[in-house]
Amino acid sequence: MAETTQPADYANTPQGWAQRWQVELAASREELSKWHEQGRRIVRRFRDERDADQDGETRWNLFTANVQTQLATLYGQTPKVSVSRRFADSNDDVARVAAEMLERILNSDIERDSDTFAQALEYALLDRLLPGFGLARVRYVAEFETVPGTPPMLDPVTGAVMAPEVMPIDRKVYECVETDYCHWQDVLWSTSRVWHEVRWLAFRAQMHQRAFDGRFKAADGKSLWAAMPKVTRAKDDDAQKAQPWDRVEVWEIWDKESRQVFWFVEGYASILDMKEDPYGLESFFPCPRPMLANMTTDKVVPRPDFVIAKDLYNQIDNLTTRIKLLEDAIRVAGVYDKGAGGDVGRLINGATSNTLIPVENWAAFAEKGGIRGVIDWLPLEQVVGAITTLSGRVRDVQDQLFQVTGMADIMRGASDPRETASAQGIKARFGSVRLQRLQDEVARFASDVQRLKAEIISKLYDVDTILTQANAQYTFDAEKAPQAAQLLQERLAVYRIEVKPEAVSLQDYAALKSERMEVLSGIASFIQAMGPLVQQLPGSAPFMLQMLQWSVSGLRGASAIEGVLDRAVTAAEQAQKQAQTQPQKPPPPDPKLLAQQLKGQQELAKVQADLQADLMRTQAEVQANDAKERQQAEWNTKEAANKAAIAQASRVVAVPEGGLS
């Protein structure tokens, strides 16, 4: 065990540590006593637990309504955990599988019926809205079973040891990380200016005898129960009055300076137990920074929201009480002249419906002015006017209260029917802006709890437990799962674990649709702008997809699409590698050049067709001329032959008979 140190005024012994913690707890309780008293009054106000002397007070209970509205808005659904890699390298498949496995474990634990994370988050949020302090802590739970040993195996003849003795061992059979809600009155801390300066943090647990004896024993093994100071049942603590059995308040103190955990009972002379840092967490404390209301940098003491607006709440209650008293005073009442006779008083006693009342000495009665002369009614006009004025004042104070608390009227379901949809939308967005910081704070708190849980998983879980709880053996990446589980144990810091505000608060489906449309519009615009460049330079596709992933990651609601882009980058890189190993293909021609070539081919074909037609026409004309010339030559030959024959015949006719001498 590492040596521990503490102030020189106290010895480094169990008794010295007990003396120190007695002083430390008393100083912290004195610092927080005023806030504790305020918190108890605020809780009673929220539940409208009035004292007997306040029965005549009328309350509108706007504080209860506002807190319920905020609680429903800030915690509208069971949260979901998102685990992503800090360095989204597309070729780091092991890290991707590890992130998926861790996300499976965290979300499956939340969905377990026995898990108390969602319940603890809701309780802590309610404490944040009422006394101004909400906290939950994580706790590692492991169950073991004893595997019995075996005696040594001896040779029956020689007695030699054939097999050594196997000692019994404890085997881990189950492990988990539970989330415990911490009541705001059961937590004390050292006096500090800001939270990161807190030196120690103490959690109170009230234990019955069986639980106490099962956890703590004296050095000689005897029970310490009889020597423990028992809990005093305070008159103003209903929870303590409801407990019929004796209990002991045990403080579990986490000291950051010594990185030790102490168990101590106030009033006992020694600490019960002391252990070194059990979890080895980076922040040491087993809880995140609590949700603190209206914090400043001078001291870590919350200031409840109710205190800031208390005067307005009280003013509304005072005005409402006055209105109620005036409403009770509204009735038909008045005075009448006793000398006018007793029959006049029967006019409004309820027994004279549709009845004429005789009046004696009518002349004298009429001389006094009749009923107007003998009766003077209670002036209800002034009472009604006062009620109207007070009602208007209540509305003014209510508007001031909504401005102070950030509860816009549109968020309370009250709207002016004369307003346009755009005007009501602006008011709704303004109200959401006022609550956005608190939504982010709730998401931060839930994320910190899950980070602590993930840190304990990485440090204390076995690899087999991680694989089993993630159901990794049935996934597509089952081969990489063992390596991914080891990576979780070695490098948890490379993962981003968060619960986003929209995963906790009331789901706004219009906003969710708008976010998704924004992501799709961004992707479409990028592809339209970079598409021609990718076509001209096919090797640039992976880089363009990485640029797209970088640009999309800045949009809300884009985390779900980042995994798809990771796979797209991987596919593009694989396609590029395959293209480099295969023969290079010529780049696709320019569409404009193709169009010009097609047009030129069409014109060339037309010219060729015209030339062919002219050639055929010329050939036909030549052939026709040749045939004509042959026919003419034949005709001329025949004609010459005919002429020669005729000439010969003419000479024969011209010679006389007898011939020549």
Side-chain angles (χ1 to χ4, degrees):
M1 179 180 296
E3 183 179 358
T4 59
T5 59
Q6 62 172 328
D9 295 339
Y10 306 101
N12 193 8
T13 62
Q15 293 75 21
W17 283 107
Q19 294 175 3
R20 176 193 170 183
W21 294 128
Q22 187 74 38
V23 174
E24 293 270 21
L25 294 179
S28 176
R29 188 178 288 107
E30 181 180 0
E31 177 75 12
L32 302 176
S33 59
K34 182 178 180 181
W35 166 62
H36 281 165
E37 181 60 30
Q38 284 180 343
R40 287 189 287 267
R41 289 200 301 265
I42 291 171
V43 172
R44 289 196 297 267
R45 176 65 178 264
F46 175 78
R47 300 173 61 176
D48 198 6
E49 296 179 356
R50 282 178 266 187
D51 298 332
D53 57 351
Q54 293 179 326
D55 290 341
E57 181 183 0
T58 301
R59 285 183 181 173
W60 204 348
N61 287 332
L62 278 179
F63 173 62
T64 303
N66 287 345
V67 171
Q68 291 174 344
T69 302
Q70 288 179 316
L71 183 63
T73 304
L74 297 172
Y75 190 79
Q77 58 182 338
T78 303
K80 295 291 184 181
V81 186
S82 174
V83 180
S84 59
R85 296 166 288 167
R86 294 188 183 274
F87 311 104
D89 299 323
S90 58
N91 58 349
D92 194 357
D93 290 335
V94 176
R96 175 181 58 82
V97 175
E100 293 177 358
M101 291 171 55
L102 183 58
E103 183 173 319
R104 280 189 169 201
I105 294 175
L106 296 177
N107 284 318
S108 61
D109 283 351
I110 294 177
E111 295 172 357
R112 283 191 294 112
D113 294 337
S114 59
D115 188 75
T116 57
F117 169 73
Q119 189 178 52
L121 182 60
E122 182 179 4
Y123 292 161
L125 176 58
L126 182 60
D127 284 350
R128 162 60 183 83
L129 297 176
L130 291 178
F133 179 91
L135 186 63
R137 58 171 295 185
V138 294
R139 175 172 49 88
Y140 175 70
V141 178
E143 297 180 0
F144 296 86
E145 66 177 4
T146 301
V147 179
T150 57
M153 184 179 297
L154 304 178
D155 186 277
V157 179
T158 63
V161 178
M162 300 177 60
E165 179 184 5
V166 178
M167 302 299 296
I169 59 173
D170 292 335
R171 181 177 62 187
K172 187 188 300 182
V173 295
Y174 175 76
E175 55 185 338
C176 68
V177 182
E178 299 290 349
T179 305
D180 296 333
Y181 158 71
C182 302
H183 193 270
W184 57 278
Q185 295 185 93
D186 292 339
V187 183
L188 295 177
W189 57 89
S190 63
T191 303
S192 306
R193 294 175 301 178
V194 290
W195 181 256
H196 73 270
E197 294 180 354
V198 172
R199 297 178 288 107
W200 56 265
L201 187 63
F203 305 94
R204 178 174 60 180
Q206 296 183 354
M207 305 180 67
H208 300 294
Q209 182 176 2
R210 179 180 299 178
F212 183 86
D213 290 339
R215 174 62 180 84
F216 304 105
K217 295 288 186 181
D220 55 0
K222 295 183 180 180
S223 174
L224 295 172
W225 178 260
M228 291 296 108
K230 305 303 186 293
V231 174
T232 302
R233 294 178 175 84
K235 296 182 180 180
D236 59 345
D237 195 336
D238 295 337
Q240 292 184 2
K241 289 189 295 184
Q243 292 286 348
W245 312 111
D246 290 336
R247 289 156 295 130
V248 172
E249 285 187 353
V250 179
W251 287 96
E252 180 182 338
I253 307 171
W254 290 66
D255 184 21
K256 184 187 291 187
E257 293 179 334
S258 64
R259 298 192 74 87
Q260 297 274 342
V261 183
F262 303 86
W263 284 265
F264 169 68
V265 175
E266 290 184 280
Y268 189 63
S270 176
I271 58 174
L272 301 178
D273 195 7
M274 179 177 64
K275 290 184 178 181
E276 293 184 2
D277 186 0
Y279 300 151
L281 299 174
E282 181 180 358
S283 61
F284 178 71
F285 292 142
C287 63
R289 175 168 55 87
M291 292 185 287
L292 299 169
N294 303 306
M295 280 300 301
T296 59
T297 57
D298 57 345
K299 58 182 177 179
V300 184
V301 178
R303 189 70 170 168
D305 295 335
F306 175 80
V307 177
I308 306 300
K310 179 180 65 175
D311 294 339
L312 294 174
Y313 282 118
N314 292 337
Q315 189 174 358
I316 291 177
D317 290 341
N318 292 335
L319 293 173
T320 305
T321 301
R322 294 183 181 183
I323 292 175
K324 181 63 170 57
L325 294 175
L326 290 175
E327 289 176 347
D328 294 340
I330 296 178
R331 62 186 183 275
V332 179
V335 295
Y336 69 94
D337 185 5
K338 185 176 181 180
D343 293 334
V344 177
R346 295 166 51 198
L347 284 174
I348 57 173
N349 60 5
T352 58
S353 177
N354 299 326
T355 302
L356 294 176
I357 300 176
V359 177
E360 297 179 356
N361 299 324
W362 176 259
F365 182 74
E367 183 179 354
K368 293 181 179 180
I371 295 177
R372 293 179 179 273
V374 298
I375 296 179
D376 192 5
W377 300 101
L378 178 68
L380 298 181
E381 295 82 0
Q382 290 83 348
V383 177
V384 173
I387 292 177
T388 302
T389 302
L390 290 176
S391 299
R393 179 57 182 162
V394 168
R395 288 191 293 270
D396 294 339
V397 178
Q398 182 182 2
D399 292 339
Q400 297 173 8
L401 177 65
F402 288 161
Q403 292 179 11
V404 172
T405 60
M407 297 296 299
D409 56 347
I410 189 67
M411 299 182 65
R412 297 181 56 82
S415 61
D416 190 345
R418 295 170 296 180
E419 291 181 341
T420 62
S422 300
Q424 295 187 8
I426 293 173
K427 293 169 67 176
R429 286 193 296 273
F430 176 76
S432 64
V433 168
R434 297 293 297 271
L435 284 177
Q436 185 62 50
R437 181 175 178 83
L438 190 53
Q439 289 176 348
D440 294 340
E441 176 67 7
V442 175
R444 189 274 311 167
F445 180 79
S447 300
D448 289 348
V449 172
Q450 292 299 321
R451 291 190 191 102
L452 291 174
K453 186 173 182 179
E455 191 174 355
I456 292 178
I457 290 174
S458 67
K459 292 180 179 296
L460 302 181
Y461 271 31
D462 295 335
V463 172
D464 293 339
T465 303
I466 295 176
L467 296 176
T468 301
Q469 293 190 7
N471 201 31
Q473 63 270 28
Y474 300 108
T475 62
F476 292 106
D477 300 308
E479 297 180 355
K480 301 182 180 65
Q483 186 179 358
Q486 294 178 357
L487 182 63
L488 283 179
Q489 293 181 332
E490 298 171 357
R491 300 177 58 194
L492 180 67
V494 300
Y495 296 98
R496 184 184 296 109
I497 303 168
E498 60 181 341
V499 178
K500 298 184 178 180
E502 58 269 21
V504 182
S505 60
L506 186 63
Q507 187 71 279
D508 188 350
Y509 293 99
L512 180 63
K513 179 180 178 181
S514 176
E515 292 171 2
R516 293 185 177 181
M517 292 303 298
E518 182 181 1
V519 173
L520 292 177
S521 298
I523 293 175
S525 301
F526 185 87
I527 293 177
Q528 184 178 4
M530 296 299 175
L533 180 60
V534 174
Q535 291 180 355
Q536 294 180 6
L537 300 174
S540 63
F543 305 102
M544 297 302 171
L545 288 174
Q546 291 176 355
M547 292 175 61
L548 175 61
Q549 185 180 22
W550 173 79
S551 62
V552 168
S553 62
L555 302 177
R556 295 190 63 178
S559 59
I561 204 67
E562 289 186 39
V564 178
L565 292 176
D566 281 342
R567 291 191 290 271
V569 171
T570 303
E573 291 178 347
Q574 292 177 353
Q576 183 179 1
K577 291 179 181 179
Q578 292 178 359
Q580 292 176 354
T581 57
Q582 294 177 356
Q584 295 293 331
K585 296 181 180 180
D590 189 358
K592 295 182 179 180
L593 181 60
L594 286 176
Q596 292 178 358
Q597 291 178 354
L598 180 60
K599 183 177 180 181
Q601 290 176 358
Q602 292 176 351
E603 293 178 353
L604 180 60
K606 182 178 180 181
V607 172
Q608 290 177 351
D610 294 340
L611 292 174
Q612 186 69 21
D614 293 341
L615 180 59
M616 292 178 64
R617 187 168 53 253
T618 303
Q619 290 177 353
E621 292 177 354
V622 170
Q623 291 176 359
N625 292 333
D626 290 344
K628 185 177 180 181
E629 290 178 355
R630 286 195 301 269
Q631 291 178 358
Q632 185 65 36
E634 291 177 357
W635 176 261
N636 293 336
T637 303
K638 290 180 180 180
E639 185 179 8
N642 290 334
K643 288 182 178 180
I646 294 174
Q648 185 65 29
S650 299
R651 287 195 298 269
V652 173
V653 173
V655 175
E657 187 179 348
L660 297 173
S661 58

